[in-house]
Amino acid sequence: MSLLQKSSITCAVLSVVSLDGGAIAAPYPPEVVSRFTSECTTALQEQVPQMAQYGNAYCTCVINELQSSLTLAEFQAIGENVQTNVTPEVRQMLTNTAQTCLQRVIQ
């Protein structure tokens, strides 16, 4: 997989995190998980069509990772700022999450 494809996948995750929306310490409400997974799968299909077959597994992995790392309030706060004002640390965490899930689903 090329660096451009990996970058596109990361962008798909970053764009979907803008939705209100390991072990999961405090699960997000089902509607948040469902909306994220649906929008993430659609974004992945549109932005990286060759990854469409992995869409649901990949997006489920991402939301599960986010739930284990972020409270719902943190997730929503990132969503409000992801397009304009996300910190380098948060961007790195999201990129790491995207890469971790990518590795899991393509193996």
Side-chain angles (χ1 to χ4, degrees), residues 18-78:
S18 66
L19 297 172
D20 284 334
I24 300 171
Y28 299 164
E31 61 275 7
V32 171
V33 173
S34 176
R35 182 172 178 204
F36 177 91
T37 303
S38 175
E39 294 292 334
C40 173
T41 301
T42 299
L44 194 62
Q45 290 171 348
E46 291 173 357
Q47 295 177 25
V48 192
Q50 61 274 28
M51 285 292 297
Q53 67 188 17
Y54 303 110
N56 191 55
Y58 172 78
C59 295
T60 297
C61 175
V62 170
I63 194 66
N64 287 340
E65 289 292 317
L66 294 175
Q67 288 179 94
S68 69
S69 302
L70 303 168
T71 66
L72 180 59
E74 290 168 333
F75 176 74
Q76 290 173 327
I78 290 169

Side-chain angles (χ1 to χ4, degrees), residues 1 6 14 19 26 37 56 61 66 70 81 87 91 94 96 98:
M1 177 167 295
K6 288 180 182 180
L14 292 173
L19 297 172
T37 303
N56 191 55
C61 175
L66 294 175
L70 303 168
N81 295 315
T87 66
R91 186 167 299 279
L94 295 173
N96 290 346

